[in-house]
Amino acid sequence: MDVIFQQAFSGNHTPYIPHQFLYSVWKLSNSLAGYEQQDAHEFLISTLNALHMHCNGNSSLCCPCIVHRIFGGSLRSDLTCLRCGFTSTAVDPYFDISLDLPKTSHTSSSKRKSKRS
């Protein structure tokens, strides 16, 4: 990571190809190695796990490493019984939260454009 930041902020305007970084991630995460198609989310999680291991992070909820301080959090979920009213609470750690994005049709975006004109 140090090399990437040094290259990014060096003032050199030539493109930087992070082949050493990719090779390191592939070595630490066998599922990303090779030529199979992977998505950005899998790459992010594998990279965060590798950084976590490199920073000597632990599996406790209050891990002080930089990965947990930036990306980590706790998700609280409450489940209430409709019959007796008892509420059960669970707190789970996370690095990312998946969100469902509503699908928009092409026609609805063009209608918005025409209304603005």
Side-chain angles (χ1 to χ4, degrees):
M1 290 300 291
D2 291 338
V3 173
I4 291 174
F5 284 106
Q6 287 173 0
Q7 290 291 323
F9 297 105
S10 69
N12 186 353
H13 297 289
T14 60
Y16 173 69
I17 302 170
H19 63 277
Q20 291 173 330
F21 175 69
L22 289 173
Y23 180 71
S24 298
V25 171
W26 290 343
K27 280 178 38 180
L28 293 170
S29 181
N30 293 337
S31 64
L32 294 179
Y35 295 100
E36 294 180 23
Q37 184 175 350
Q38 307 295 335
D39 66 9
H41 180 255
E42 291 174 274
F43 182 78
L44 172 67
I45 296 302
S46 294
T47 304
L48 290 177
N49 286 333
L51 286 170
H52 185 249
M53 288 186 324
H54 180 74
C55 295
N56 297 322
N58 58 52
S59 60
S60 71
L61 286 176
C62 56
C63 178
C65 77
I66 189 74
V67 176
H68 275 95
R69 286 189 286 162
I70 294 175
F71 295 99
S74 298
L75 182 65
R76 177 184 163 170
S77 57
D78 297 325
L79 182 64
T80 304
C81 177
L82 296 177
R83 181 176 282 181
C84 69
F86 176 77
T87 301
S88 172
T89 301
V91 178
D92 297 309
Y94 70 86
F95 272 147
D96 65 327
I97 297 177
S98 297
L99 300 174
D100 290 331
L101 299 176
K103 292 184 178 181
T104 59
S105 67
H106 180 67
T107 55
S108 64
S109 64
S110 63
K111 285 180 185 176
R112 275 187 249 135
K113 287 179 186 176
S114 64
K115 287 181 182 179
R116 290 182 189 159
S117 303

